[in-house]
Amino acid sequence: MIEQLNQKFAIGNSLKFLPHADGLIQGIIETPICTGSFFLLGGHVSAYQPKSQQHPVLFMSRDAIYTVGKPIRGGVPVCFPWFGPNASDATAPAHGLVRTELWDVVEAKQTGASIVVRLQRELPNYRLDYRIEFGASLKMQMSITNTSDQTQQCELALHTYFQIGELSKVSITGLESIAFRDKLTGTIEPAAGIPIAFTAETDRVYMGKVAEIELHDPAWNRIIQIRPENSQSTVVWNPWIEKSKRLNDFADDEYLQMCCIETANVHPDELSINPGQSAVVGVQVQAQDKSILPK
Ligand code: TA6
């Protein structure tokens, strides 16, 4: 399998496929401008770091489990065709069907200084075509095609885990004017009017389109810019102390090193796709040293 993948899709030393310690297959990117990686399991982007950055952009748990059928804790899990628990089937896996299944590589190419990989996954009623660009920024774009003969409602979330320097100093701007559904209380809260800071378990769905979100990380003197494409929902999550202890694939102290800012279309802004039609949802992630950003 790995030999065929490398024969067909390897790009010099910039993209190669290697066996992961746990028997999974990982695509490894190494270029003059960035490093990155992804698993065929879940179409799961697992690392991204521009050479200009001292620290990884994406968080991966040191207790992550790497097994087909299990989600990988960290990176960018793909939640589809539902987000969270299944509304009608309590036995169905959380966050849908595709993050625990193997995806196929359909294309790999160098575009300028970037490496572009396309992964595909078929499932009942849908085909997913996932374009991932590892370059000066990380670009992820999911094309969802309705292969059934009926209009389909579905949810998508690119459940991105960001690595951070010091949680107590982190703030998120760009969502101040957006009302949110607080998943911990079940209530709809008005726009806060101030940046998001983490002082307790946080699990919110911001409802509305935004042009840009910024994750400010003073401890590492960097700002991560997040530019959604065709996304009506942004999920912001930090498990904090007690939930971290309940996650068996997440170390108790790792809530201090991460936060999730997820580009999504989830309830009440599900996607509705007509037969044979496609919806495209994506996000561009760029890490900048704070000192070089315009004042
Ligand atoms: O995106 C936030 C969330 O829905 C939280 O409620 C929490 O469950 C998190 O996703 C992780 O879910 P997972 O199934 O990966 O443990």
Side-chain angles (χ1 to χ4, degrees):
M1 174 74 170
I2 289 188
E3 293 72 28
Q4 289 101 324
L5 281 168
N6 281 317
Q7 276 167 6
K8 204 168 176 186
F9 299 114
I11 302 172
N13 290 322
S14 299
L15 168 64
K16 50 184 177 292
F17 293 87
L18 296 174
H20 185 266
D22 301 82
L24 299 182
I25 295 177
Q26 203 174 18
I28 305 292
I29 288 94
E30 168 80 46
T31 73
I33 55 171
C34 77
T35 56
S37 67
F38 61 94
F39 284 96
L40 300 194
L41 176 64
H44 194 116
V45 175
S46 43
Y48 170 65
Q49 185 170 344
K51 291 289 176 71
S52 60
Q53 285 294 313
Q54 283 185 295
H55 305 285
V57 173
L58 302 181
F59 165 86
M60 287 294 283
S61 172
R62 61 178 183 268
D63 291 349
I65 296 167
Y66 299 93
T67 310
V68 176
K70 293 275 188 192
I72 299 171
R73 181 70 62 192
V76 187
V78 176
C79 306
F80 183 83
W82 64 82
F83 176 75
N86 183 285
S88 56
D89 177 0
T91 65
H95 289 327
L97 301 170
V98 300
R99 68 171 179 165
T100 55
E101 304 296 328
L102 293 173
W103 291 48
D104 296 316
V105 183
V106 295
E107 182 183 24
K109 62 184 178 185
Q110 178 141 6
T111 304
S114 299
I115 293 294
V116 177
V117 176
R118 274 183 48 228
L119 307 176
Q120 269 186 9
R121 175 75 196 170
E122 301 263 357
L123 65 159
N125 302 322
Y126 301 100
R127 180 177 61 255
L128 298 182
D129 191 305
Y130 192 17
R131 182 186 186 277
I132 310 162
E133 181 173 344
F134 295 90
S137 64
L138 172 64
K139 294 179 186 171
M140 296 174 280
Q141 189 178 65
M142 186 70 73
S143 174
I144 305 161
T145 301
N146 175 353
T147 55
S148 77
D149 55 9
Q150 296 176 343
T151 297
Q152 298 290 339
Q153 313 287 330
C154 56
E155 294 179 298
L156 171 77
L158 298 175
H159 193 301
T160 310
Y161 286 72
F162 290 99
Q163 180 100 28
I164 58 177
E166 190 172 329
L167 185 68
S168 64
K169 295 181 178 170
V170 152
S171 64
I172 297 170
T173 60
L175 295 163
E176 296 89 329
S177 62
I178 306 277
F180 63 90
R181 175 162 63 89
D182 187 325
K183 290 173 64 196
L184 302 174
T185 61
T187 55
I188 302 291
E189 300 298 331
I194 56 172
I196 301 164
F198 295 103
T199 57
E201 183 178 353
T202 305
D203 196 350
R204 301 173 180 173
V205 178
Y206 285 82
M207 302 176 290
K209 214 179 183 82
V210 293
E212 183 171 290
I213 300 161
E214 290 191 336
L215 171 56
H216 297 255
D217 187 357
W220 282 353
N221 192 37
R222 81 175 177 188
I223 294 177
I224 293 178
Q225 296 162 327
I226 299 157
R227 297 185 185 91
E229 173 195 1
N230 192 25
S231 158
Q232 295 291 337
S233 322
T234 303
V235 184
V236 175
W237 179 58
N238 184 285
W240 206 247
I241 300 166
E242 293 313 315
K243 175 115 187 190
S244 296
K245 290 176 185 171
R246 299 197 298 271
L247 297 171
N248 66 356
D249 57 350
F250 188 80
D252 291 358
D253 66 343
E254 287 187 313
Y255 73 96
L256 293 166
Q257 300 156 24
M258 54 67 70
C259 68
C260 286
I261 303 173
E262 306 160 36
T263 301
N265 284 283
V266 300
H267 180 74
D269 293 300
E270 295 87 348
L271 291 165
S272 179
I273 309 175
N274 291 326
Q277 300 299 303
S278 300
V280 178
V281 182
V283 63
Q284 179 180 11
V285 171
Q286 182 134 27
Q288 299 278 10
D289 287 340
K290 191 170 173 20
S291 55
I292 61 173
L293 285 180
K295 298 298 176 206

